[in-house]
Amino acid sequence: MLELDDIGQQLLADWLDLAAELLTTPIVAVSCLVNPEAVFFGGRLPAPLIDRLAAMINDRLRAHSGVIPVIVPVHRAATATDAPAVGAALLPFNDRLLPSRTTLMKTAAE
């Protein structure tokens, strides 16, 4: 993976563990609210780290299987590392949860 010494590897493992822990609850919320078929992660982390993070999140989600009705799988996005993964992830929210521009314009005009 990354060429780190033992201390660096341990710090990386701790960071990934914390990241997985902090991301699990929002993914459960998205799963219950939007019910997607999958959640995709992308960004500037090296692909092996994203794969490792996704696996850690999937393990935590399976641990919640008795609590939430549907477990949404988490995968690495199959796009370039600089692709706008966050923008793509926001599209369902823009479409379903936020008011349209015409509605906003009517409110502003009144």
Side-chain angles (χ1 to χ4, degrees):
M1 188 175 311
L2 298 175
E3 295 189 25
L4 300 172
D5 61 12
D6 291 342
I7 295 172
Q9 289 290 343
Q10 185 58 50
L11 289 170
L12 177 61
D14 293 345
W15 184 86
L16 286 171
D17 187 57
L18 177 63
E21 186 66 31
L22 294 174
L23 287 168
T24 300
T25 300
I27 291 172
V28 168
V30 167
S31 179
C32 293
L33 179 66
V34 182
N35 193 19
E37 290 187 30
V39 171
F40 293 93
F41 277 99
R44 300 198 57 132
L45 284 176
L49 292 182
I50 295 175
D51 289 338
R52 195 166 149 193
L53 179 60
M56 294 171 81
I57 293 169
N58 284 325
D59 290 344
R60 283 171 170 76
L61 290 172
R62 279 191 287 280
H64 286 77
S65 63
V67 179
I68 57 175
V70 176
I71 304 296
V72 59
V74 177
H75 303 286
R76 177 173 43 92
T79 59
T81 57
D82 291 333
V86 172
L90 289 175
L91 291 175
F93 292 98
N94 286 342
D95 186 52
R96 296 176 188 242
L97 299 176
L98 300 177
S100 67
R101 284 188 171 184
T102 54
T103 302
L104 292 172
M105 294 304 287
K106 287 179 187 175
T107 303
E110 293 174 2

